Amino acid sequence: MNYDRNTRPYHEPLATATYIREIEVGDVVWDLGSRFGYETVIAATLNERPERVHTFEMTESKVWKLQRLNRLDFNGALSVNHVAVGEQSQGSHQLRLDDYADRHGPPDFVTMDIETAEVPALLGMRSTIESATPTLLIEWHGTAMDHEGNHNDIASAMTLLRENYSTMLYCEEYRDSEAEWRPLHVDVPRINCQLLVKA
């Protein structure tokens, strides 16, 4: 079912409210880690152009559901990509987002919930960020990434964002209906939070 802009947000209210405020008619939206299509449906409905919504999901069972959603609710207009995203393209299994932007054009808005893969995804869209500065809404898994290491890559991703965007906001309690964005003051957030990054 398509999303009603006037419906009260109910899943991760802060993120949903942010989609409602930020996504405009005609925006090109990339939904990274689309899962079952919640954010995809919101984006396709709010911008009134489902053909401008691109989903990226690596789990086959979830891709099947996205394809079914696309067929039944959007007449096949969405671009459903069965692929992981990363710093480099690797055959048909992993996609560098700069390569995708070269073929399809850059996004206006990117939502990212990819379970600690956000750093390689960001580094793989460096040129897109530098040239197009799309608004980014990132579920940041800082605790897990800090445990896993790769601190140089994490620092590089945050430097990329700070050098290209004027606004970086975060929220740790983003599932709370009263949650609000706050300015991000630390160089590398070592917490689990939502990040909203805007030019």
Side-chain angles (χ1 to χ4, degrees):
M1 180 179 296
N2 287 359
Y3 186 81
D4 182 351
R5 193 182 282 268
N6 298 313
T7 299
R8 183 172 179 237
Y10 61 94
H11 172 71
E12 296 189 357
L14 181 65
T16 304
T18 301
Y19 302 142
I20 292 170
R21 184 181 70 246
E22 299 290 339
I23 295 175
E24 298 182 2
V25 173
D27 275 355
V28 174
V29 179
W30 290 358
D31 182 9
L32 311 182
S34 305
R35 295 178 308 282
F36 303 113
Y38 176 75
E39 291 87 355
T40 296
V41 169
I42 294 172
T45 303
L46 295 183
N47 78 357
E48 301 178 9
R49 299 283 299 277
E51 69 275 11
R52 290 177 173 258
V53 177
H54 303 254
T55 73
F56 302 81
E57 175 58 53
M58 62 181 288
T59 307
E60 187 169 353
S61 61
K62 294 175 182 175
V63 171
W64 182 87
K65 291 181 180 182
L66 285 166
Q67 290 169 335
R68 184 175 186 274
L69 169 75
N70 187 22
R71 187 174 61 254
L72 295 179
D73 288 354
F74 297 106
N75 296 314
L78 304 173
S79 294
V80 178
N81 297 280
H82 181 191
V83 68
V85 294
E87 190 169 357
Q88 300 296 330
S89 291
Q90 297 178 0
S92 61
H93 304 293
Q94 181 171 291
L95 176 66
R96 178 176 174 257
L97 291 167
D98 279 339
D99 295 339
Y100 192 84
D102 287 345
R103 293 193 299 271
H104 301 279
D108 300 294
F109 186 96
V110 178
T111 177
M112 187 181 301
D113 184 0
I114 47 181
E115 309 302 325
T116 75
E118 46 267 36
V119 166
L122 287 167
L123 295 176
M125 60 183 295
R126 179 183 299 275
S127 294
T128 303
I129 286 172
E130 291 173 345
S131 63
T133 56
T135 297
L136 307 173
L137 182 60
I138 305 167
E139 186 158 315
W140 182 262
H141 298 85
T143 303
M145 287 191 291
D146 193 43
H147 178 73
E148 291 171 1
N150 299 322
H151 298 291
N152 289 338
D153 286 350
I154 296 169
S156 293
M158 292 305 297
T159 298
L160 172 67
L161 298 180
R162 291 198 179 279
E163 287 178 349
N164 290 280
Y165 291 93
S166 60
T167 301
M168 291 187 67
L169 306 173
Y170 84 106
C171 181
E172 290 182 75
E173 306 85 17
Y174 55 89
R175 291 186 174 90
D176 186 331
S177 61
E178 303 299 318
E180 296 182 355
W181 294 110
R182 297 187 295 255
L184 180 68
H185 297 299
V186 298
D187 290 336
V188 177
R190 303 185 184 281
I191 54 176
N192 297 334
C193 64
Q194 287 273 2
L195 294 178
L196 176 61
V197 186
K198 299 176 63 175

